[in-house]
């Protein structure tokens, strides 16, 4: 509740990259996202919600779009640790934050947005942590969508 | 056949139901839709409530902040309501600055708070002239199917009853405020106003809790706000009506608030 953050609308629009837009010529598809409660990862949640809403609307997609975030914690002793799905407190700590959206089934990234600096050598573990977050979320959403489809259409598969 | 008639002559189609004293969704003229409330779902807010009146879904979040009281009201805090109708709740609303309906609804809620005296602003004052609470009440419609005002008033009341404010004291030596998050108290709610909205058909027939379709077909809507003692707090009547029709509204409104 409050003024919209700039840049986030653009990121949610990336979820639109998965839409098979050649099937909808000269047709705008408006996606509206409302954040009710913010506790970290709002961008990822908005993109995931937009992807699920597009599925619910029956818009043709390349694959289901889910997003997640990851960061890097640097403990005083020991190697840096990649963290999946940052909470508000972890985001506020000021470390690097990578937001990633995947298109399921294609192995492609719809969104890859980094804020704050990250050393090149650390990119791989953080990217893996973000993709792990996406895979976990996709498993849950996929189950829900299939169960709903079964209910709505009484199809077996 | 019926669907074609409804598309071509929606008002006539509707009148056929009204003649039998019922409505297309099966309700009687004085019947409310199923109402559900979910309290405290937004943990980052100081108080929150989600209300569903049929398909109409409204969420209210209350955030409490500290501010200096106004110079001409040194012993009063503030209650700032804001109603938002985002584009996702109905096709008729576009993104951008608040439209007419949202602004009118915000003003209506502010009037209800003031007229019903549900909260006394002096109760929000912590130190006269120095520190007071500001309650920002954000009411957001998530799904618009008519009767926004009743749902908004209900959500606001439920959210305010859910608020827990920490104890704030002013340190006499330093003059700074100290917030004790471990000791929280609920707000003092003195009155419980309930809004009842009616759609007016053909200038005489009144229908309680209209859906969006019914609102569009009606000649106007009237909203009556009463409190638990049956006293009238507010009448919102943006349409021409006879006084006889208004008295009829008041009777049904009182019955609704008792429920």
């Amino acid at each position: 509740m409050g003024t919209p953050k700039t840049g986030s609308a653009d990121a949610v629009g990336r979820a639109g990259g998965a839409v098979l837009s050649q099937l909808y010529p000269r047709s705008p598809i408006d996606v509206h996202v409302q954040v009710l409660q913010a506790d970290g990862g709002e961008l990822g949640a908005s993109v995931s919600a937009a992807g699920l809403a597009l599925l619910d609307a029956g818009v043709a997609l390349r694959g289901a779009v889910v997003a997640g975030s990851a960061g890097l914690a640097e403990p005083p002793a020991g190697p840096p640790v990649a963290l999946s799905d940052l909470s508000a407190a972890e985001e506020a700590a000021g470390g690097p934050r990578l937001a990633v959206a995947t298109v399921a089934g294609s192995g492609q990234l719809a969104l890859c947005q980094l804020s704050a600096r990250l050393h090149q050598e650390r990119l791989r573990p953080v990217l893996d942590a973000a993709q792990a977050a996406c895979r976990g979320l996709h498993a849950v959403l996929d189950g829900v969508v299939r169960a709903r489809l079964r209910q709505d259409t009484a199809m077996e598969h | 056949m019926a669907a074609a008639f409804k598309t071509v002559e929606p008002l006539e189609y509707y009148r056929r139901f009204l003649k039998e004293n019922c409505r297309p969704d099966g309700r009687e003229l004085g019947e409310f839709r199923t109402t559900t409330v979910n309290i405290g779902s937004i943990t980052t807010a100081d108080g929150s409530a989600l209300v569903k009146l049929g398909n109409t879904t409204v969420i209210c979040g209350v955030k409490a902040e500290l501010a200096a009281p106004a110079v001409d009201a040194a012993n009063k805090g503030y209650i700032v309501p804001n109603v938002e109708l985002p584009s996702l709740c109905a096709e008729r609303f576009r993104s951008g600055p608040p439209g007419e309906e949202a602004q009118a609804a915000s003003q209506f809620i502010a009037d209800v708070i003031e007229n019903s005296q549900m909260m006394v602003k002096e109760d929000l004052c912590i130190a006269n002239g120095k520190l007071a609470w500001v309650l920002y009440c954000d009411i957001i419609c998530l799904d618009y199917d008519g009767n926004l005002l009743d749902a908004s008033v209900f959500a606001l009341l439920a959210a305010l009853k859910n608020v827990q404010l920490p104890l704030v004291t002013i340190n006499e030596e330093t003059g700074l405020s100290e917030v004790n998050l471990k000791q929280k108290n609920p707000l003092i709610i003195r009155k419980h106003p309930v809004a009842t909205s009616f759609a007016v058909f053909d200038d005489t027939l009144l229908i309680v809790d209209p859906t969006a379709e019914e609102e569009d077909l009606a000649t106007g809507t009237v909203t009556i706000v009463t409190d638990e003692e049956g006293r009238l707090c507010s009448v919102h009547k943006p349409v021409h009506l006879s006084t006889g029709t208004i008295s009829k509204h008041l009777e049904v409104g009182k019955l609704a608030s008792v429920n």
Side-chain angles (χ1 to χ4, degrees):
Chain A
M1 300 177 197
T3 49
K5 284 195 190 145
T6 49
S8 44
D10 181 53
V12 174
R14 303 287 172 199
V19 172
L20 293 166
S21 48
Q22 65 271 24
L23 296 176
Y24 307 103
R26 297 181 303 279
S27 310
I29 298 177
D30 290 335
V31 178
H32 305 283
V33 179
Q34 188 85 23
V35 178
L36 296 179
Q37 179 167 352
D39 191 26
E42 297 89 60
L43 178 57
S46 304
V47 172
S48 301
L52 196 59
L54 287 167
L55 265 180
D56 186 42
V59 173
L61 298 173
R62 247 173 277 275
V65 180
V66 280
S69 63
L72 197 69
E74 311 211 25
V81 179
L83 302 170
S84 284
D85 189 22
L86 303 173
S87 66
E90 290 164 343
E91 284 182 357
R97 195 191 327 164
L98 184 70
V100 157
T102 56
V103 180
S106 69
Q108 292 175 329
L109 296 180
L111 170 73
C112 187
Q113 190 171 298
L114 176 70
S115 65
R117 290 193 311 250
L118 182 67
H119 195 283
Q120 284 182 94
E121 279 163 29
R122 307 265 177 259
L123 179 60
R124 187 80 250 168
V126 174
L127 193 56
D128 287 342
Q131 288 186 293
C134 292
R135 273 195 300 276
L137 185 59
H138 178 250
V140 174
L141 291 184
D142 195 49
V144 170
V145 169
R146 284 178 200 276
R148 177 61 184 262
L149 265 180
R150 249 179 257 128
Q151 201 183 313
D152 283 351
T153 63
M155 268 166 56
E156 281 308 299
H157 304 289
Chain B
M1 180 60 208
F5 182 43
K6 184 181 175 186
T7 313
V8 170
E9 287 277 1
L11 193 53
E12 261 315 305
Y13 174 83
Y14 201 69
R15 282 201 188 107
R16 300 286 163 92
F17 287 92
L18 292 181
K19 268 197 211 126
E20 307 296 327
N21 269 321
C22 72
R23 297 140 89 163
D25 60 2
R27 284 190 287 159
E28 287 176 17
L29 302 192
E31 201 181 324
F32 264 82
R33 287 172 284 185
T34 313
T35 307
T36 44
V37 191
N38 185 312
I39 302 189
S41 45
I42 301 187
T43 49
T44 47
D46 294 299
S48 61
L50 175 78
V51 168
K52 279 178 84 87
L53 264 183
N55 287 329
T56 297
T57 308
V58 168
I59 190 158
C60 176
V62 179
K63 289 284 272 183
E65 290 180 11
L66 294 169
V71 171
D72 53 352
N75 63 342
K76 292 186 181 169
Y78 310 82
I79 305 174
V80 184
N82 182 41
V83 177
E84 267 178 53
L85 294 170
S87 3
L88 55 76
C89 72
E91 243 182 78
R92 70 184 80 184
F93 303 120
R94 299 258 150 252
S95 358
E100 195 191 305
E101 193 168 347
Q103 290 181 55
S106 298
Q107 187 56 48
F108 170 78
I109 298 290
D111 290 342
V112 168
I113 294 171
E114 189 58 46
N115 296 340
S116 66
Q117 287 290 295
M118 64 191 291
M119 289 199 61
V120 167
K121 294 204 173 94
E122 283 83 346
D123 289 337
L124 293 173
C125 182
I126 299 164
N128 205 319
K130 290 192 202 139
L131 201 62
W133 283 111
V134 187
L135 296 178
Y136 291 106
C137 309
D138 292 319
I139 298 168
I140 301 180
C141 181
L142 299 175
D143 197 349
Y144 185 90
D145 193 19
N147 205 0
L148 172 72
L149 300 181
D150 290 6
S152 301
V153 170
F154 194 4
L156 175 74
L157 183 60
L160 285 173
K161 287 187 79 100
N162 180 238
V163 170
Q164 294 279 330
L165 287 184
L167 190 65
V168 179
T169 48
I170 300 221
N171 187 318
E172 304 230 338
E173 295 158 358
T174 61
L176 296 173
S177 55
E178 282 164 10
V179 178
N180 186 351
L181 288 170
K182 295 209 179 85
Q183 197 177 346
K184 291 200 175 178
N185 301 309
L187 289 175
I188 303 171
I189 311 279
R190 289 168 190 272
K191 295 282 188 285
H192 298 77
V194 171
T196 311
S197 292
F198 305 83
V200 186
F201 275 86
D202 298 329
D203 294 330
T204 49
L205 204 56
L206 41 90
I207 286 126
V208 130
D209 188 21
T211 62
E213 251 180 19
E214 290 168 346
E215 279 181 353
D216 289 341
L217 290 173
T219 43
T221 52
V222 180
T223 305
I224 306 231
V225 183
T226 48
D227 67 17
E228 65 269 43
E229 287 158 26
R231 286 183 317 183
L232 186 65
C233 308
S234 163
V235 176
H236 183 67
K237 178 187 79 71
V239 68
H240 174 76
L241 271 183
S242 67
T243 44
T245 326
I246 298 208
S247 323
K248 262 200 319 190
H249 292 314
L250 287 176
E251 286 311 309
V252 183
K254 281 196 193 142
L255 278 171
S257 73
V258 165
N259 291 343

